[in-house]
Amino acid sequence: MSQRYLESVLQGLLEGTERDAASGQWLAPFDETRTCVLRNGYKGVTGVLYVLAAFRRHGVGRARHEQQALGLLDWLLYHHPTEDDQMPGLFSGEAGVVMAILELISAGVLEEESWTGTYLDTVLGAMPPLPDITHGAAGLGLASLRAAKEFSPDFRHHARLHAESLLERQNADGSWSTRDDATQGTGIVHPGFAHGVAGMAYFLAECYRELGTTDLRNASIRAGEWLWENRITNETGECAWKYSMNASRVSNAWCHGARGVSMAFMALARATGRETDVQRARAALRRRIPLHEIDDLGVCHGLAGYGEILLELHAQTNSPDDFGRARQVFSQLNRIARHDPERGITWVSADRRESLPTAALMVGNGGIAHFVLRVIRKNPLTMGFPLLS
């Protein structure tokens, strides 16, 4: 049953989501009003390739899917014109392509060839202007760590360089100042994971686990202490964080808010062994919103992301309660899925006005499919949060 279900989920991702008539590639939700073809991992073709490779690595799909994956890789390497071509970053740019390539190699779909190392070195050796996970040095550093584990230890040097760029930019209080999304100004501190302190703390903690230098440990701990000191709590002990330190609104999502912050504390716990960080990660997830009240289904803001983070905590603590909560998320997603015998299983995320499913990794079917694969296979140790490991 689970294998057939996963085959139908993969079918839905590849055949039941919106495609561009001219190029044949998957359409990404650019905003609430239009779709277009993008290459990035967050919404575009790279994310589809990454998930397809993950399914093949875990025994889902057929030989034709491997050929389809190689065709997608050729399309990405050719750099067909898109609005986001040659962008830096893990979720926004070429480091995401690197992670898809490494996933293809792990799946046995792609063999290491002479061009592969050159491509990885070119992408991961770039020094982006921003420090964050999505666009900047922290994201390239995480991709470098995976390349060092699975391709060549030489890429540890790239990870170290990206870590040093974060050490140089860290504020005295342990935070980082980044670009403000709305004004493109500087000096804004974001606590969250996608663009802020939590994501950078996560990378430095993971880098410390691999490289073991005291400066990385100290910097990641300082960032964690800043996050904890700047939490907002209520009478029940639930924690929240502001979207940015000059904003009033709070968020509970992966990208901006408590769920992403919890991942930073999990990484700190792995790096330092401090039980305090495990308890802080749990405190960040203490608020239990009824699942039917979470109207967005994707990884970035919604149900699938909540489930992925619960699986991260389960992988760390082996708590059956965390896995049980993740199973509840899956059950809710299954109840509201579209089951079509010809087009497979699909979902429509809440960030679209049209009721059409997209294949986007972080806001569409790609990330939901990734979570479903992970929870059904019960393998939180062999699969991590999308694009991060």
Side-chain angles (χ1 to χ4, degrees):
M1 172 61 182
S2 60
Q3 183 71 15
R4 291 199 304 273
Y5 190 92
L6 290 173
E7 294 280 359
S8 188
V9 169
L10 180 60
Q11 180 189 12
L13 174 66
L14 300 177
E15 301 175 19
T17 51
E18 288 188 88
R19 303 283 281 270
D20 175 57
S23 67
Q25 296 300 343
W26 286 267
L27 286 166
F30 189 84
D31 54 29
E32 290 185 350
T33 62
R34 72 181 179 101
T35 57
C36 62
V37 176
L38 297 173
R39 66 181 282 114
N40 65 61
Y42 188 88
K43 294 181 178 180
V45 174
T46 295
V48 180
L49 177 58
Y50 176 83
V51 175
L52 174 54
F55 269 70
R56 288 303 297 136
R57 180 159 67 93
H58 290 88
V60 182
R62 312 194 191 297
R64 64 182 174 86
H65 292 118
E66 297 186 1
Q67 294 305 310
Q68 187 173 15
L70 294 174
L72 289 177
L73 178 60
D74 285 343
W75 187 89
L76 289 167
L77 295 176
Y78 186 82
H79 285 276
H80 290 270
T82 61
E83 296 185 39
D84 62 337
D85 191 21
Q86 302 296 346
M87 290 281 289
L90 180 57
F91 288 90
S92 64
E94 296 308 299
V97 180
V98 165
M99 295 297 267
I101 288 173
L102 294 171
E103 194 71 18
L104 286 170
I105 292 172
S106 296
V109 175
L110 179 68
E111 295 182 1
E112 296 181 16
E113 300 179 27
S114 57
W115 64 267
T116 318
T118 302
Y119 179 82
L120 268 61
D121 185 66
T122 300
V123 172
L124 300 178
M127 298 302 292
L130 295 172
D132 65 336
I133 284 280
T134 298
H135 304 97
L140 267 70
L142 284 172
S144 299
L145 288 176
R146 181 168 181 184
K149 293 178 195 174
E150 300 183 12
F151 192 87
S152 168
D154 293 343
F155 286 102
R156 289 163 63 94
H157 175 68
H158 291 69
R160 177 67 207 187
L161 289 177
H162 292 302
E164 287 176 355
S165 75
L166 291 185
L167 298 180
E168 292 170 0
R169 303 182 198 194
Q170 191 172 27
N171 296 328
D173 62 4
S175 68
W176 286 267
S177 302
T178 58
R179 183 187 69 199
D180 179 72
D181 295 336
T183 66
Q184 304 297 302
T186 57
I188 307 300
V189 178
H190 293 271
F193 199 96
H195 306 294
V197 176
M200 289 177 268
Y202 180 98
F203 163 59
L204 290 178
E206 292 294 290
C207 201
Y208 168 67
R209 288 179 68 203
E210 295 300 318
L211 304 184
T213 59
T214 303
D215 55 352
L216 298 177
R217 184 181 190 276
N218 292 342
S220 62
I221 289 176
R222 285 172 55 220
E225 292 303 316
W226 182 92
L227 286 167
W228 189 246
E229 290 168 4
N230 284 278
R231 74 195 185 280
I232 300 169
T233 58
N234 61 19
E235 63 279 1
T236 65
E238 296 174 347
C239 297
W241 281 263
K242 293 181 179 181
Y243 171 83
S244 69
M245 296 311 294
N246 65 338
S248 58
R249 69 183 176 95
V250 299
S251 173
N252 196 41
W254 166 82
C255 54
H256 298 287
R259 293 176 191 164
V261 171
S262 73
M263 291 183 61
F265 286 123
M266 288 183 224
L268 282 163
R270 289 192 294 270
T272 66
R274 302 191 313 175
E275 180 61 25
T276 298
D277 291 316
V278 176
Q279 297 308 316
R280 290 175 175 181
R282 287 201 176 282
L285 293 176
R286 188 166 293 148
R287 186 183 180 203
R288 298 198 183 193
I289 303 174
L291 298 183
H292 67 275
E293 294 182 9
I294 303 177
D295 60 353
D296 193 284
L297 308 184
V299 169
C300 191
H301 315 106
L303 269 175
Y306 181 43
E308 287 277 3
I309 293 167
L310 289 171
L311 289 178
E312 291 291 291
L313 190 56
H314 170 67
Q316 189 146 332
T317 65
N318 200 32
S319 166
D321 179 60
D322 297 323
F323 189 80
R325 291 165 69 188
R327 286 286 304 183
Q328 291 172 11
V329 172
F330 165 70
S331 296
Q332 176 70 4
L333 285 168
N334 182 53
R335 279 194 293 270
I336 59 182
R338 296 178 172 183
H339 296 257
D340 187 319
E342 295 184 358
R343 294 171 62 85
I345 298 173
T346 57
W347 291 265
V348 178
S349 290
D351 66 336
R352 296 295 313 287
R353 291 178 181 173
E354 302 90 350
S355 58
L356 298 170
T358 70
L361 175 62
M362 297 302 288
V363 294
N365 281 249
I368 300 171
H370 187 279
F371 165 68
V372 168
L373 171 63
R374 198 176 177 197
V375 75
I376 286 180
R377 283 288 191 253
K378 299 180 181 179
N379 52 1
L381 295 177
T382 59
M383 289 181 69
F385 191 93
L387 285 185
L388 295 186
S389 60

